[in-house]
Amino acid sequence: MKFTWFHLMPYRFLPADFKEKYRSVWVDIPRDLYDPKVGHRLYNDYLDQLEYADAMGFDGLGVNEHHQNAYGLMPSPNIMAAALSRRTRNASLVVLGNSIALYNPPIRVAEESAMLDVISGGRLVAGFPVGTSMDTNFCYGEIPATIREKYYEAHDLIIKAWKEKDVFSFNGKYTKLRYVNLWPKPIQQPHPPIWIPGGGSVETYDFCADHDYQYSFLSYFGYIAGKKVADGYWEVMAKKKKELNPYSLGFAQVVAVSETDEQAEKDYAPHMDYFYNRCLHVYNGFADAPGYRTVRTIKAGILGQVGDRAALQREGLKWKDFIEQGYVIAGSPKTVRERLREAMKSLNCGHLMMLMQIGSMPPELVRKSTNLFATEVMPHMRDLWSNFEDKWSPKRMPQNEIAMPAPVHFQKTEVNGKARAAAAASTEVRSAK
Amino acid sequence: MNTTQKLLNGKFSLEMQVYGSGEPLLFMHGAGGLMPVEPFLEELGKNFKVYAPQFPGYGESTGNEYIDDIADAVLFYHELMDELGIPTANIVGHSMGGMLAAEVAAFDVHRARKLVLIAPAGFWIDEVPIPDFFAAQLTEIAPLLFHDPNSRAAQMMTAIPTDFKALETMYVERVKRLATASKFLWPIPDRGLKKRAYRIQAPTLLLWGDDDKLIPPAYAKEFTSRIKNSKLELIKNAGHMVMYEQQEALVGAIRKFLKG
């Protein structure tokens, strides 16, 4: 069993009346709700958390791409992966990922991924999402009816750029290039492992199965509701006579660990509420532009992650319901161990994408939950799927060949404990206003 | 009368409404498509032979995958006109259809005998942004489209079925239509008509509801300033869906212009 510590990097300080006052956390959220000085603190806290997860033995560090929103503040996940590449040593850099249809030309993604793979000594996982409708259609203006075709073409170009030995020309419908000649090329040959994040589009199952990519189902409905999608995926895999290897499925799950079940509720319930009611408060008109999802997917009855129907499903849910319905796996280490094992077995899932910084959760709680998970849950789950080979994790350079960042000596260090604590406290005060 | 028209290129099979007899009139519908029966076209059928195809991707019409942009759409209409035996016709278009009608008349100046554009799309004015129709919710549509959102016509056009199956069907149909429309209108309905509109030779009548909240009448001057032989007539007490709110005034104005 493998564990990726996945960060969304939300804005933690949306006002309490956000949901009543504003129609959407995405696309047209007022700009004046963002304070860059708070943002400075958040980015640095969040990178600290990912670095901590590396030190605690998580297998992967997850980042992703979103635009014009307070739900996830990474318009460019590659910048975050680059920041992580120097101070982390072991974990894979799971960039899940670049919305490849948005780049012109998409070769940019092939280049930046290669850079990340080379800098990190072969630790990159390249994720290719289509991107949400909010991000791609409403924020980046892509035509809903053609975005999937553009996505597939971008994919073909990137893969070819990674694989091809010589300069080639690419005459696509959306991208035309006379000379494609990728410098640098990735450490991992022919290319880093590819994970395809999906929100339940049925076409994505086939795409992953046909290319032997890992399918990552990113859902906030939790593992009980997610079973329908996982089953759909395994059904396609079986039909195509593919190995039913749990490592070919990734699944995102909100996880929170505390000393006891009661303490978990005390610690995390308010942040869960913030996540589901503010971070996911998306205007229904932005949830699903006409043509973004295919008619086939709509008819399959798979619920979108955001929008009125998703909100309705969550309406009025309390901590107990979130736990019981599997949206969240939280509690004492023992509870989390048991439920997580049950969840991963029922989904046949080998790559868990864990959301451990949830909504407004402050750094000290993130650290506690991460620490408890790493020490009291993770070791007890490592045996799961040990009879399968994980073909979807990076094949990095040997540790002894990997370059170490040279030490830097400051004359006077500003980040002593006191100054740092004061700065953190001032952020909390500033944001509470 | 509903017919099926298959084009010789094998790409398109069209559901088409045909009304009346007389001089040919080709109607191009807006982003919402045609209703099963269109009373205002039936009325125009008293003077004209009206051809009203559902655009590929609408209703039963197929071949949407062969149309990516304005050039594809224009060539589609040229082929259709040739195969209907009406290489030149009166062309009437509403909203997105008005935009396409203007493009057809601009690409080949011999296609339109006379041109009627009803609240056409095709331009963008920063000071008068067009509301985001694609993001509008079912409950928000009536006020955008109608002068009187409580009128019977408005209520009928925008009724939301309570039965789940019917709702799903309606939703899927809406997705299909708007996905097609997005090829010309997303995210901003400007595909270069401003470069070509000057070419239009046909006498052109612009008709606009005086209370159009989707494409406000301010957009009329983008057309009248570029099309030499053009004039604007405002229709009183009408929103964007002029034909359902002021059918008589609309049909009267079209008839007078085309017959005059």
Side-chain angles (χ1 to χ4, degrees):
Chain A
M1 184 76 214
K2 296 277 176 75
F3 303 87
T4 290
W5 204 103
F6 203 102
H7 220 314
L8 295 171
M9 304 200 177
Y11 197 70
R12 284 178 45 215
F13 301 104
L14 294 174
D17 60 354
F18 179 77
K19 198 173 169 181
E20 290 73 43
K21 221 164 150 188
Y22 305 101
R23 72 170 182 174
S24 191
V25 75
W26 226 300
V27 183
D28 62 357
I29 180 173
R31 283 187 86 213
D32 60 11
L33 294 179
Y34 184 83
D35 179 340
K37 288 200 169 158
V38 170
H40 167 75
R41 171 62 50 192
L42 291 183
Y43 276 140
N44 284 284
D45 282 349
Y46 291 164
L47 287 166
D48 288 346
Q49 289 160 14
L50 286 159
E51 288 167 358
Y52 181 65
D54 172 59
M56 292 306 293
F58 283 81
D59 303 282
L61 308 176
V63 290
N64 66 357
E65 170 178 339
H66 292 298
H67 302 277
Q68 299 181 192
N69 75 100
Y71 154 95
L73 288 161
M74 287 180 279
S76 168
N78 298 346
I79 288 179
M80 286 304 160
L84 290 169
S85 66
R86 294 266 295 172
R87 293 226 303 172
T88 61
R89 308 297 313 155
N90 298 304
S92 310
L93 304 175
V94 181
V95 179
L96 206 58
N98 290 280
S99 300
I100 53 178
L102 301 182
Y103 294 84
N104 180 23
I107 207 78
R108 176 80 181 210
V109 176
E111 291 172 333
E112 290 190 4
S113 301
M115 286 176 71
L116 286 169
D117 201 46
V118 172
I119 295 171
S120 68
R123 286 192 284 143
L124 183 72
V125 169
F128 296 159
V130 171
T132 71
S133 188
M134 294 83 82
D135 293 316
T136 58
N137 306 132
F138 288 98
C139 297
Y140 268 37
E142 286 294 333
I143 295 173
T146 46
I147 182 150
R148 279 171 206 277
E149 189 181 51
K150 196 173 173 194
Y151 167 86
Y152 290 126
E153 184 184 297
H155 160 268
D156 294 347
L157 170 57
I158 291 168
I159 297 297
K160 194 168 181 198
W162 278 336
K163 281 185 167 171
E164 202 73 15
K165 294 225 167 7
D166 301 308
V167 181
F168 68 94
S169 302
F170 187 83
N171 179 24
K173 181 170 161 187
Y174 299 94
T175 300
K176 293 184 194 294
L177 296 168
R178 187 65 184 78
Y179 302 101
V180 182
N181 187 19
L182 200 74
W183 275 74
K185 61 186 180 198
I187 291 275
Q188 301 181 76
Q189 286 295 317
H191 57 71
I194 291 166
W195 296 8
I196 308 290
S201 286
V202 290
E203 292 77 10
T204 313
Y205 308 154
D206 294 291
F207 185 65
C208 289
D210 293 342
H211 291 85
D212 291 322
Y213 296 156
Q214 193 245 46
Y215 176 65
S216 292
F217 182 49
L218 303 188
S219 146
Y220 301 121
F221 292 107
Y223 70 98
I224 296 172
K227 184 150 171 55
K228 180 178 171 187
V229 170
D231 287 351
Y233 169 71
W234 291 123
E235 203 176 293
V236 169
M237 291 290 277
K239 212 177 282 167
K240 292 184 185 266
K241 306 223 174 358
K242 297 283 179 183
E243 186 196 4
L244 306 185
N245 184 330
Y247 291 109
S248 75
L249 177 68
F251 189 81
Q253 176 72 49
V254 177
V255 178
V257 198
S258 197
E259 291 79 6
T260 62
D261 290 355
E262 297 71 38
Q263 188 60 36
E265 177 171 0
K266 258 185 227 143
D267 285 342
Y268 305 123
H271 306 297
M272 213 69 74
D273 179 77
Y274 183 101
F275 178 69
Y276 281 105
N277 286 309
R278 285 183 241 178
C279 292
L280 291 179
H281 174 58
V282 176
Y283 170 59
N284 195 47
F286 295 148
D288 192 2
Y292 169 76
R293 293 197 300 162
T294 62
V295 168
R296 209 178 125 210
T297 293
I298 293 168
K299 286 192 169 162
I302 295 163
L303 210 54
Q305 297 301 312
V306 292
D308 286 354
R309 279 181 70 196
L312 198 64
Q313 190 114 331
R314 292 193 291 262
E315 183 80 40
L317 294 188
K318 297 274 176 281
W319 175 260
K320 190 169 142 281
D321 309 305
F322 276 118
I323 298 282
E324 270 171 15
Q325 297 181 24
Y327 281 85
V328 172
I329 293 181
S332 69
K334 179 169 176 292
T335 302
V336 172
R337 275 199 298 268
E338 287 168 4
R339 294 210 74 182
L340 210 48
R341 183 171 277 269
E342 171 205 330
M344 293 302 100
K345 280 176 132 172
S346 93
L347 299 170
N348 195 42
C349 170
H351 274 288
L352 180 63
M353 248 76 69
M354 314 181 48
L355 297 162
M356 301 206 74
Q357 191 286 329
I358 306 149
S360 49
M361 201 189 283
E364 60 276 12
L365 277 183
V366 178
R367 201 173 171 94
K368 175 168 101 171
S369 184
T370 304
N371 183 296
L372 282 171
F373 188 89
T375 53
E376 299 194 36
V377 180
M378 204 154 67
H380 302 275
M381 293 191 62
R382 286 295 188 188
D383 63 303
L384 204 56
W385 317 127
S386 54
N387 47 333
F388 287 91
E389 186 198 348
D390 176 11
K391 300 174 204 159
W392 293 270
S393 281
K395 291 171 187 64
R396 73 195 56 193
M397 287 164 58
Q399 278 295 2
N400 61 356
E401 288 177 25
I402 288 187
M404 296 283 285
V408 177
H409 301 286
F410 290 103
Q411 289 243 297
K412 185 180 150 201
T413 166
E414 279 183 68
V415 284
N416 63 56
K418 249 186 194 166
R420 203 183 159 94
S426 85
T427 303
E428 302 288 330
V429 171
R430 188 187 174 91
S431 316
K433 279 179 198 161
Chain B
M1 182 185 66
N2 269 19
T3 63
T4 303
Q5 179 81 22
K6 290 185 195 300
L7 294 199
L8 295 174
N9 61 25
K11 294 175 180 173
F12 305 104
S13 172
L14 302 172
E15 176 193 341
M16 189 158 66
Q17 298 180 16
V18 181
Y19 299 99
S21 60
E23 255 189 65
L25 185 160
L26 176 63
F27 179 74
M28 305 184 184
H29 62 72
L34 294 170
M35 304 282 278
V37 176
E38 291 286 5
F40 82 101
L41 293 178
E42 213 165 14
E43 195 55 34
L44 282 168
K46 290 179 179 166
N47 304 82
F48 304 95
K49 178 147 192 187
V50 177
Y51 299 89
Q54 291 272 27
F55 192 81
Y58 285 73
E60 302 295 315
S61 294
T62 63
N64 168 48
E65 66 273 28
Y66 300 108
I67 296 182
D68 289 326
D69 53 23
I70 291 289
D72 293 339
V74 166
L75 292 179
F76 155 76
Y77 275 121
H78 287 177
E79 285 181 40
L80 172 66
M81 292 177 82
D82 288 341
E83 291 182 32
L84 286 173
I86 51 164
T88 299
N90 297 303
I91 302 179
V92 181
H94 172 239
S95 196
M96 175 183 85
M99 173 187 188
L100 295 176
E103 292 282 15
V104 165
F107 267 65
D108 178 351
V109 299
H110 309 295
R111 291 290 170 178
R113 193 187 80 86
K114 284 188 178 177
L115 186 63
V116 179
L117 307 176
I118 309 164
F123 286 90
W124 181 262
I125 307 172
D126 283 339
E127 295 74 31
V128 193
I130 296 168
D132 189 355
F133 184 73
F134 291 99
Q137 295 302 281
L138 292 175
T139 51
E140 296 164 347
I141 288 174
L144 268 182
L145 293 184
F146 291 91
H147 163 66
D148 177 7
N150 298 315
S151 66
R152 243 190 76 208
Q155 295 290 324
M156 230 174 66
M157 292 274 306
T158 55
I160 302 166
T162 45
D163 165 54
F164 179 76
K165 202 72 211 156
L167 185 67
E168 190 193 57
T169 307
M170 175 186 168
Y171 181 72
V172 167
E173 282 307 309
R174 179 170 180 269
V175 163
K176 276 170 61 188
R177 292 194 292 258
L178 291 186
T180 301
S182 77
K183 293 177 178 181
F184 315 114
L185 307 177
W186 188 287
I188 278 178
D190 176 351
R191 293 291 192 275
L193 183 57
K194 57 178 176 279
K195 291 187 291 184
R196 299 181 284 269
Y198 80 93
R199 286 174 43 82
I200 296 172
Q201 302 286 336
T204 301
L205 174 65
L206 285 140
L207 291 172
W208 230 292
D210 65 349
D211 187 30
D212 189 333
K213 283 162 289 211
L214 185 65
I215 309 181
Y219 277 86
K221 75 167 192 311
E222 299 295 327
F223 292 87
T224 51
S225 66
R226 288 178 173 85
I227 303 172
K228 289 175 282 284
N229 195 354
S230 64
K231 61 176 178 182
L232 167 69
E233 254 179 62
L234 287 178
I235 309 263
K236 276 200 190 114
N237 299 323
H240 191 64
M241 304 306 276
V242 193
M243 59 280 264
Y244 306 121
E245 286 192 299
Q246 299 298 340
Q247 176 180 314
E248 207 174 311
L250 182 86
V251 169
I254 296 173
R255 206 177 261 150
K256 188 168 152 231
F257 173 70
L258 295 182
K259 284 288 175 194

